[in-house]
PDB file of all heavy atoms in Angstrom:
ATOM      1  N   GLN D  24      43.127  16.724  32.386  1.00 94.00           N
ATOM      2  CA  GLN D  24      42.324  15.939  33.319  1.00 94.00           C
ATOM      3  C   GLN D  24      40.868  15.811  32.845  1.00 94.00           C
ATOM      4  O   GLN D  24      39.927  15.957  33.624  1.00 94.00           O
ATOM      5  CB  GLN D  24      42.397  16.511  34.729  1.00 94.00           C
ATOM      6  CG  GLN D  24      43.774  16.419  35.325  1.00 94.00           C
ATOM      7  CD  GLN D  24      43.847  16.904  36.763  1.00 94.00           C
ATOM      8  OE1 GLN D  24      43.012  17.691  37.213  1.00 94.00           O
ATOM      9  NE2 GLN D  24      44.847  16.449  37.475  1.00 94.00           N
ATOM     10  N   GLY D  25      40.711  15.560  31.562  1.00 93.00           N
ATOM     11  CA  GLY D  25      39.399  15.312  30.993  1.00 93.00           C
ATOM     12  C   GLY D  25      38.599  16.536  30.583  1.00 93.00           C
ATOM     13  O   GLY D  25      37.520  16.414  30.022  1.00 93.00           O
ATOM     14  N   SER D  26      39.121  17.736  30.855  1.00 96.00           N
ATOM     15  CA  SER D  26      38.389  18.968  30.522  1.00 96.00           C
ATOM     16  C   SER D  26      39.171  19.809  29.520  1.00 96.00           C
ATOM     17  O   SER D  26      40.394  19.894  29.597  1.00 96.00           O
ATOM     18  CB  SER D  26      38.161  19.803  31.780  1.00 96.00           C
ATOM     19  OG  SER D  26      37.368  19.096  32.700  1.00 96.00           O
ATOM     20  N   PRO D  27      38.466  20.454  28.597  1.00 97.00           N
ATOM     21  CA  PRO D  27      39.160  21.313  27.627  1.00 97.00           C
ATOM     22  C   PRO D  27      39.685  22.585  28.291  1.00 97.00           C
ATOM     23  O   PRO D  27      39.027  23.156  29.161  1.00 97.00           O
ATOM     24  CB  PRO D  27      38.070  21.644  26.607  1.00 97.00           C
ATOM     25  CG  PRO D  27      36.787  21.464  27.341  1.00 97.00           C
ATOM     26  CD  PRO D  27      37.026  20.410  28.375  1.00 97.00           C
ATOM     27  N   LEU D  28      40.876  23.000  27.883  1.00 97.00           N
ATOM     28  CA  LEU D  28      41.457  24.249  28.390  1.00 97.00           C
ATOM     29  C   LEU D  28      41.287  25.396  27.404  1.00 97.00           C
ATOM     30  O   LEU D  28      41.730  26.509  27.675  1.00 97.00           O
ATOM     31  CB  LEU D  28      42.949  24.061  28.694  1.00 97.00           C
ATOM     32  CG  LEU D  28      43.278  23.161  29.875  1.00 97.00           C
ATOM     33  CD1 LEU D  28      44.787  23.105  30.082  1.00 97.00           C
ATOM     34  CD2 LEU D  28      42.595  23.656  31.147  1.00 97.00           C
ATOM     35  N   CYS D  29      40.665  25.112  26.266  1.00 97.00           N
ATOM     36  CA  CYS D  29      40.462  26.159  25.259  1.00 97.00           C
ATOM     37  C   CYS D  29      39.347  25.721  24.323  1.00 97.00           C
ATOM     38  O   CYS D  29      38.888  24.582  24.374  1.00 97.00           O
ATOM     39  CB  CYS D  29      41.754  26.397  24.469  1.00 97.00           C
ATOM     40  SG  CYS D  29      42.347  24.960  23.527  1.00 97.00           S
ATOM     41  N   ASP D  30      38.933  26.638  23.478  1.00 97.00           N
ATOM     42  CA  ASP D  30      38.016  26.301  22.394  1.00 97.00           C
ATOM     43  C   ASP D  30      38.828  25.605  21.301  1.00 97.00           C
ATOM     44  O   ASP D  30      40.061  25.660  21.298  1.00 97.00           O
ATOM     45  CB  ASP D  30      37.381  27.568  21.814  1.00 97.00           C
ATOM     46  CG  ASP D  30      36.425  28.228  22.797  1.00 97.00           C
ATOM     47  OD1 ASP D  30      35.824  27.517  23.620  1.00 97.00           O
ATOM     48  OD2 ASP D  30      36.302  29.467  22.742  1.00 97.00           O
ATOM     49  N   TYR D  31      38.151  24.994  20.350  1.00 97.00           N
ATOM     50  CA  TYR D  31      38.851  24.373  19.230  1.00 97.00           C
ATOM     51  C   TYR D  31      39.672  25.414  18.488  1.00 97.00           C
ATOM     52  O   TYR D  31      39.221  26.542  18.275  1.00 97.00           O
ATOM     53  CB  TYR D  31      37.871  23.710  18.261  1.00 97.00           C
ATOM     54  CG  TYR D  31      37.431  22.348  18.725  1.00 97.00           C
ATOM     55  CD1 TYR D  31      36.234  22.193  19.407  1.00 97.00           C
ATOM     56  CD2 TYR D  31      38.218  21.236  18.488  1.00 97.00           C
ATOM     57  CE1 TYR D  31      35.830  20.933  19.846  1.00 97.00           C
ATOM     58  CE2 TYR D  31      37.823  19.977  18.926  1.00 97.00           C
ATOM     59  CZ  TYR D  31      36.638  19.836  19.603  1.00 97.00           C
ATOM     60  OH  TYR D  31      36.246  18.598  20.039  1.00 97.00           O
ATOM     61  N   LYS D  32      40.881  25.037  18.120  1.00 97.00           N
ATOM     62  CA  LYS D  32      41.784  25.892  17.347  1.00 97.00           C
ATOM     63  C   LYS D  32      41.907  25.302  15.950  1.00 97.00           C
ATOM     64  O   LYS D  32      41.835  24.090  15.758  1.00 97.00           O
ATOM     65  CB  LYS D  32      43.168  25.959  18.005  1.00 97.00           C
ATOM     66  CG  LYS D  32      43.141  26.436  19.454  1.00 97.00           C
ATOM     67  CD  LYS D  32      42.625  27.847  19.559  1.00 97.00           C
ATOM     68  CE  LYS D  32      42.600  28.328  20.994  1.00 97.00           C
ATOM     69  NZ  LYS D  32      41.913  29.589  21.155  1.00 97.00           N
ATOM     70  N   ALA D  33      42.145  26.172  14.978  1.00 96.00           N
ATOM     71  CA  ALA D  33      42.220  25.731  13.586  1.00 96.00           C
ATOM     72  C   ALA D  33      43.501  24.964  13.270  1.00 96.00           C
ATOM     73  O   ALA D  33      43.501  24.091  12.404  1.00 96.00           O
ATOM     74  CB  ALA D  33      42.102  26.934  12.654  1.00 96.00           C
ATOM     75  N   THR D  34      44.585  25.267  13.990  1.00 95.00           N
ATOM     76  CA  THR D  34      45.861  24.636  13.668  1.00 95.00           C
ATOM     77  C   THR D  34      46.559  24.081  14.910  1.00 95.00           C
ATOM     78  O   THR D  34      46.275  24.491  16.038  1.00 95.00           O
ATOM     79  CB  THR D  34      46.822  25.640  13.002  1.00 95.00           C
ATOM     80  OG1 THR D  34      47.183  26.638  13.966  1.00 95.00           O
ATOM     81  CG2 THR D  34      46.209  26.283  11.771  1.00 95.00           C
ATOM     82  N   HIS D  35      47.500  23.194  14.659  1.00 95.00           N
ATOM     83  CA  HIS D  35      48.345  22.634  15.716  1.00 95.00           C
ATOM     84  C   HIS D  35      49.147  23.755  16.376  1.00 95.00           C
ATOM     85  O   HIS D  35      49.300  23.788  17.592  1.00 95.00           O
ATOM     86  CB  HIS D  35      49.265  21.566  15.117  1.00 95.00           C
ATOM     87  CG  HIS D  35      50.187  20.953  16.112  1.00 95.00           C
ATOM     88  ND1 HIS D  35      51.501  21.326  16.210  1.00 95.00           N
ATOM     89  CD2 HIS D  35      49.978  20.007  17.054  1.00 95.00           C
ATOM     90  CE1 HIS D  35      52.067  20.630  17.174  1.00 95.00           C
ATOM     91  NE2 HIS D  35      51.168  19.818  17.702  1.00 95.00           N
ATOM     92  N   GLU D  36      49.659  24.664  15.582  1.00 95.00           N
ATOM     93  CA  GLU D  36      50.453  25.782  16.104  1.00 95.00           C
ATOM     94  C   GLU D  36      49.651  26.606  17.123  1.00 95.00           C
ATOM     95  O   GLU D  36      50.158  26.970  18.184  1.00 95.00           O
ATOM     96  CB  GLU D  36      50.912  26.683  14.952  1.00 95.00           C
ATOM     97  CG  GLU D  36      51.796  27.822  15.397  1.00 95.00           C
ATOM     98  CD  GLU D  36      52.250  28.685  14.234  1.00 95.00           C
ATOM     99  OE1 GLU D  36      52.362  28.174  13.103  1.00 95.00           O
ATOM    100  OE2 GLU D  36      52.488  29.882  14.467  1.00 95.00           O
ATOM    101  N   GLU D  37      48.395  26.871  16.820  1.00 97.00           N
ATOM    102  CA  GLU D  37      47.554  27.648  17.736  1.00 97.00           C
ATOM    103  C   GLU D  37      47.339  26.926  19.066  1.00 97.00           C
ATOM    104  O   GLU D  37      47.427  27.534  20.127  1.00 97.00           O
ATOM    105  CB  GLU D  37      46.187  27.921  17.102  1.00 97.00           C
ATOM    106  CG  GLU D  37      46.199  28.921  15.985  1.00 97.00           C
ATOM    107  CD  GLU D  37      44.813  29.085  15.395  1.00 97.00           C
ATOM    108  OE1 GLU D  37      44.423  28.227  14.569  1.00 97.00           O
ATOM    109  OE2 GLU D  37      44.125  30.045  15.785  1.00 97.00           O
ATOM    110  N   VAL D  38      47.064  25.626  19.005  1.00 97.00           N
ATOM    111  CA  VAL D  38      46.818  24.897  20.245  1.00 97.00           C
ATOM    112  C   VAL D  38      48.109  24.737  21.051  1.00 97.00           C
ATOM    113  O   VAL D  38      48.086  24.714  22.279  1.00 97.00           O
ATOM    114  CB  VAL D  38      46.101  23.553  19.984  1.00 97.00           C
ATOM    115  CG1 VAL D  38      47.061  22.472  19.528  1.00 97.00           C
ATOM    116  CG2 VAL D  38      45.340  23.102  21.213  1.00 97.00           C
ATOM    117  N   MET D  39      49.246  24.692  20.377  1.00 97.00           N
ATOM    118  CA  MET D  39      50.521  24.605  21.093  1.00 97.00           C
ATOM    119  C   MET D  39      50.813  25.901  21.849  1.00 97.00           C
ATOM    120  O   MET D  39      51.462  25.877  22.895  1.00 97.00           O
ATOM    121  CB  MET D  39      51.657  24.260  20.133  1.00 97.00           C
ATOM    122  CG  MET D  39      51.578  22.825  19.624  1.00 97.00           C
ATOM    123  SD  MET D  39      51.527  21.583  20.944  1.00 97.00           S
ATOM    124  CE  MET D  39      53.166  21.772  21.628  1.00 97.00           C
ATOM    125  N   ARG D  40      50.325  27.029  21.356  1.00 97.00           N
ATOM    126  CA  ARG D  40      50.465  28.292  22.099  1.00 97.00           C
ATOM    127  C   ARG D  40      49.690  28.227  23.415  1.00 97.00           C
ATOM    128  O   ARG D  40      50.130  28.763  24.429  1.00 97.00           O
ATOM    129  CB  ARG D  40      49.993  29.470  21.257  1.00 97.00           C
ATOM    130  CG  ARG D  40      51.057  29.934  20.285  1.00 97.00           C
ATOM    131  CD  ARG D  40      50.653  31.211  19.594  1.00 97.00           C
ATOM    132  NE  ARG D  40      50.635  30.867  18.177  1.00 97.00           N
ATOM    133  CZ  ARG D  40      49.759  31.243  17.294  1.00 97.00           C
ATOM    134  NH1 ARG D  40      48.763  32.017  17.619  1.00 97.00           N
ATOM    135  NH2 ARG D  40      49.837  30.859  16.046  1.00 97.00           N
ATOM    136  N   VAL D  41      48.529  27.582  23.393  1.00 97.00           N
ATOM    137  CA  VAL D  41      47.742  27.413  24.618  1.00 97.00           C
ATOM    138  C   VAL D  41      48.506  26.511  25.593  1.00 97.00           C
ATOM    139  O   VAL D  41      48.597  26.811  26.785  1.00 97.00           O
ATOM    140  CB  VAL D  41      46.349  26.829  24.314  1.00 97.00           C
ATOM    141  CG1 VAL D  41      45.578  26.584  25.597  1.00 97.00           C
ATOM    142  CG2 VAL D  41      45.563  27.739  23.381  1.00 97.00           C
ATOM    143  N   ALA D  42      49.077  25.419  25.091  1.00 97.00           N
ATOM    144  CA  ALA D  42      49.854  24.515  25.947  1.00 97.00           C
ATOM    145  C   ALA D  42      51.036  25.259  26.567  1.00 97.00           C
ATOM    146  O   ALA D  42      51.335  25.082  27.756  1.00 97.00           O
ATOM    147  CB  ALA D  42      50.332  23.312  25.142  1.00 97.00           C
ATOM    148  N   ALA D  43      51.686  26.108  25.788  1.00 97.00           N
ATOM    149  CA  ALA D  43      52.814  26.889  26.311  1.00 97.00           C
ATOM    150  C   ALA D  43      52.346  27.866  27.387  1.00 97.00           C
ATOM    151  O   ALA D  43      53.027  28.047  28.403  1.00 97.00           O
ATOM    152  CB  ALA D  43      53.503  27.630  25.169  1.00 97.00           C
ATOM    153  N   LYS D  44      51.202  28.477  27.188  1.00 97.00           N
ATOM    154  CA  LYS D  44      50.647  29.416  28.169  1.00 97.00           C
ATOM    155  C   LYS D  44      50.455  28.739  29.521  1.00 97.00           C
ATOM    156  O   LYS D  44      50.746  29.314  30.572  1.00 97.00           O
ATOM    157  CB  LYS D  44      49.309  29.952  27.656  1.00 97.00           C
ATOM    158  CG  LYS D  44      48.547  30.802  28.641  1.00 97.00           C
ATOM    159  CD  LYS D  44      47.193  31.205  28.065  1.00 97.00           C
ATOM    160  CE  LYS D  44      46.296  31.775  29.144  1.00 97.00           C
ATOM    161  NZ  LYS D  44      44.959  32.041  28.637  1.00 97.00           N
ATOM    162  N   TYR D  45      49.970  27.495  29.496  1.00 96.00           N
ATOM    163  CA  TYR D  45      49.734  26.741  30.731  1.00 96.00           C
ATOM    164  C   TYR D  45      50.971  25.952  31.184  1.00 96.00           C
ATOM    165  O   TYR D  45      50.919  25.258  32.189  1.00 96.00           O
ATOM    166  CB  TYR D  45      48.548  25.792  30.558  1.00 96.00           C
ATOM    167  CG  TYR D  45      47.217  26.496  30.525  1.00 96.00           C
ATOM    168  CD1 TYR D  45      46.532  26.670  29.334  1.00 96.00           C
ATOM    169  CD2 TYR D  45      46.642  26.984  31.693  1.00 96.00           C
ATOM    170  CE1 TYR D  45      45.293  27.311  29.298  1.00 96.00           C
ATOM    171  CE2 TYR D  45      45.412  27.629  31.667  1.00 96.00           C
ATOM    172  CZ  TYR D  45      44.751  27.787  30.467  1.00 96.00           C
ATOM    173  OH  TYR D  45      43.525  28.431  30.430  1.00 96.00           O
ATOM    174  N   ARG D  46      52.044  26.035  30.388  1.00 97.00           N
ATOM    175  CA  ARG D  46      53.296  25.313  30.685  1.00 97.00           C
ATOM    176  C   ARG D  46      53.067  23.812  30.824  1.00 97.00           C
ATOM    177  O   ARG D  46      53.550  23.177  31.752  1.00 97.00           O
ATOM    178  CB  ARG D  46      53.970  25.884  31.922  1.00 97.00           C
ATOM    179  CG  ARG D  46      54.370  27.319  31.737  1.00 97.00           C
ATOM    180  CD  ARG D  46      55.069  27.841  32.935  1.00 97.00           C
ATOM    181  NE  ARG D  46      55.458  29.236  32.665  1.00 97.00           N
ATOM    182  CZ  ARG D  46      55.731  30.096  33.591  1.00 97.00           C
ATOM    183  NH1 ARG D  46      55.684  29.768  34.860  1.00 97.00           N
ATOM    184  NH2 ARG D  46      56.076  31.326  33.264  1.00 97.00           N
ATOM    185  N   ILE D  47      52.311  23.277  29.901  1.00 95.00           N
ATOM    186  CA  ILE D  47      51.977  21.859  29.918  1.00 95.00           C
ATOM    187  C   ILE D  47      52.925  21.082  29.012  1.00 95.00           C
ATOM    188  O   ILE D  47      53.152  21.460  27.867  1.00 95.00           O
ATOM    189  CB  ILE D  47      50.517  21.643  29.464  1.00 95.00           C
ATOM    190  CG1 ILE D  47      49.578  22.212  30.523  1.00 95.00           C
ATOM    191  CG2 ILE D  47      50.235  20.176  29.195  1.00 95.00           C
ATOM    192  CD1 ILE D  47      48.122  22.124  30.174  1.00 95.00           C
ATOM    193  N   THR D  48      53.480  20.007  29.553  1.00 94.00           N
ATOM    194  CA  THR D  48      54.293  19.084  28.769  1.00 94.00           C
ATOM    195  C   THR D  48      53.358  18.004  28.244  1.00 94.00           C
ATOM    196  O   THR D  48      52.643  17.364  29.020  1.00 94.00           O
ATOM    197  CB  THR D  48      55.387  18.447  29.650  1.00 94.00           C
ATOM    198  OG1 THR D  48      56.199  19.492  30.192  1.00 94.00           O
ATOM    199  CG2 THR D  48      56.244  17.493  28.841  1.00 94.00           C
ATOM    200  N   LEU D  49      53.386  17.813  26.957  1.00 95.00           N
ATOM    201  CA  LEU D  49      52.459  16.871  26.324  1.00 95.00           C
ATOM    202  C   LEU D  49      53.134  15.540  26.004  1.00 95.00           C
ATOM    203  O   LEU D  49      54.326  15.504  25.693  1.00 95.00           O
ATOM    204  CB  LEU D  49      51.909  17.481  25.037  1.00 95.00           C
ATOM    205  CG  LEU D  49      51.034  18.712  25.243  1.00 95.00           C
ATOM    206  CD1 LEU D  49      50.816  19.436  23.921  1.00 95.00           C
ATOM    207  CD2 LEU D  49      49.715  18.314  25.871  1.00 95.00           C
ATOM    208  N   PRO D  50      52.372  14.462  26.055  1.00 95.00           N
ATOM    209  CA  PRO D  50      52.915  13.154  25.666  1.00 95.00           C
ATOM    210  C   PRO D  50      53.087  13.111  24.144  1.00 95.00           C
ATOM    211  O   PRO D  50      52.545  13.967  23.435  1.00 95.00           O
ATOM    212  CB  PRO D  50      51.838  12.177  26.136  1.00 95.00           C
ATOM    213  CG  PRO D  50      50.573  12.964  26.070  1.00 95.00           C
ATOM    214  CD  PRO D  50      50.965  14.377  26.445  1.00 95.00           C
ATOM    215  N   PRO D  51      53.791  12.106  23.632  1.00 94.00           N
ATOM    216  CA  PRO D  51      54.013  12.016  22.181  1.00 94.00           C
ATOM    217  C   PRO D  51      52.823  11.461  21.404  1.00 94.00           C
ATOM    218  O   PRO D  51      52.957  11.097  20.252  1.00 94.00           O
ATOM    219  CB  PRO D  51      55.220  11.081  22.079  1.00 94.00           C
ATOM    220  CG  PRO D  51      55.085  10.192  23.267  1.00 94.00           C
ATOM    221  CD  PRO D  51      54.513  11.076  24.358  1.00 94.00           C
TER     222      PRO D  51
END
Side-chain angles (χ1 to χ4, degrees):
Q24 295 184 337
S26 298
L28 291 182
C29 62
D30 291 330
Y31 279 97
K32 304 297 180 189
T34 67
H35 179 259
E36 183 179 332
E37 288 178 279
V38 80
M39 289 305 293
R40 278 188 240 139
V41 177
K44 173 184 167 186
Y45 287 105
R46 298 182 179 159
I47 292 177
T48 301
L49 294 166

